[in-house]
Amino acid sequence: MAPLAIAIAYAGGWLWTGLVTATAIGLYAEWLAVIGARTLRLVVLGVLILLGVGLVDAGHITASYLSGFVVLGILAVVVMSPDRRAWAAMGIAYALAASIASSAVRLDPAWGFAALMLVLLVVWATDIGGYFAGRFIGGPKLWPHVSPKKTWAGAIGGFVASLGVAGGFAAFDLGKAAPLLGLGAILSIASQFGDLFESAVKRRFGVKDSSHIIPGHGGLMDRLDGFVAAIVLAAVFGFLRGGADGVGRGLMVW
């Protein structure tokens, strides 16, 4: 699915916002299924909230308006949840964070695509490097209580692979080497923590896969757990440096 995602990311605009919104809705529905709280009422409410945020993102409404919308949405889910309210609130917050961050990073017309690709490629490299290093080197487990298959070798292999991606961006003059390497390292670590977080949630509720929407690969949460953590951290960092309209520039220009 990577070529399609990259093509839509390159197009940006409504296409990217639409993909991000649809994906966030899927993440929310899967979260509710994992915690055993997926009711029609909560799903419909979440869909309306995420569609509303998608429209706000596409219209580039002010950050304060968006923040108010998010707070009201989370409160609505808490009120409407028959049980496990804290977990349901975490689910809508998780999906909203993924949606808003993905749109914010891509928003900058000059640097948005490059910044988004940096995050995507770092996450993919972390996953691929971690898989091969863990498979062929093996060794001590990283956190067996949460994720029995992950090893320290895999974590280090994924980390090294992410540095290769960051170095490639610098080689193509898409930023300065030192900041990109630092950013790649931080995002790789965030991606791995995102993976562990999702594993911990599934283990808490005794679930193996978040869904079976992707044959042989589980659900959206299973595939995007690392990306969600990395893109949210990237968006926060870019916002602090470049403001709401310059998140991509804040990440790439030093």
Side-chain angles (χ1 to χ4, degrees):
M1 296 187 294
L4 178 61
I6 292 172
I8 294 175
Y10 179 77
W14 281 93
L15 280 174
W16 177 246
T17 301
L19 176 63
V20 164
T21 302
T23 302
I25 289 171
L27 289 173
Y28 174 65
E30 287 186 357
W31 181 286
L32 291 179
V34 167
I35 68 171
R38 188 163 68 184
T39 65
L40 180 60
R41 178 174 60 185
L42 278 183
V43 171
V44 170
L45 178 60
V47 168
L48 293 175
I49 293 168
L50 290 163
L51 284 175
V53 168
L55 291 173
V56 170
D57 283 337
H60 309 324
I61 307 299
T62 61
S64 59
Y65 185 93
L66 182 60
S67 300
F69 197 100
V70 169
V71 171
L72 289 175
I74 293 174
L75 289 176
V77 169
V78 171
V79 170
M80 297 292 285
S81 300
D83 52 17
R84 294 179 175 170
R85 292 182 174 180
W87 283 101
M90 286 177 62
I92 192 64
Y94 184 81
L96 284 167
S99 175
I100 294 169
S102 299
S103 295
V105 170
R106 180 62 185 90
L107 179 62
D108 186 339
W111 288 98
F113 179 66
L116 181 59
M117 287 307 304
L118 175 66
V119 179
L120 284 169
L121 292 175
V122 163
V123 171
W124 292 341
T126 298
D127 284 346
I128 295 169
Y131 172 79
F132 283 106
R135 186 176 181 85
F136 292 107
I137 299 175
K141 302 299 182 181
L142 178 62
W143 196 351
H145 178 67
V146 171
S147 186
K149 294 183 179 180
K150 288 183 172 56
T151 63
W152 279 101
I156 295 170
F159 181 83
V160 172
S162 73
L163 296 182
V165 169
F169 272 71
F172 282 95
D173 201 27
L174 292 172
K176 296 180 179 178
L180 284 177
L181 288 171
L183 186 59
I186 293 170
L187 294 179
S188 177
I189 294 171
S191 174
Q192 297 192 50
F193 270 106
D195 194 345
L196 291 170
F197 169 73
E198 194 247 1
S199 295
V201 172
K202 290 192 299 183
R203 183 165 289 271
R204 164 67 174 77
F205 292 97
V207 175
K208 184 178 184 296
D209 294 322
S210 59
S211 77
H212 301 286
I213 193 172
I214 307 173
H217 293 278
L220 292 173
M221 283 178 62
D222 300 317
R223 295 298 91 200
L224 298 175
D225 45 13
F227 172 74
V228 172
I231 197 69
V232 170
L233 182 61
V236 171
F237 189 70
F239 173 78
L240 292 175
R241 293 196 72 241
D245 294 327
V247 174
R249 181 179 180 85
L251 287 169
M252 302 301 294
V253 178
W254 296 77

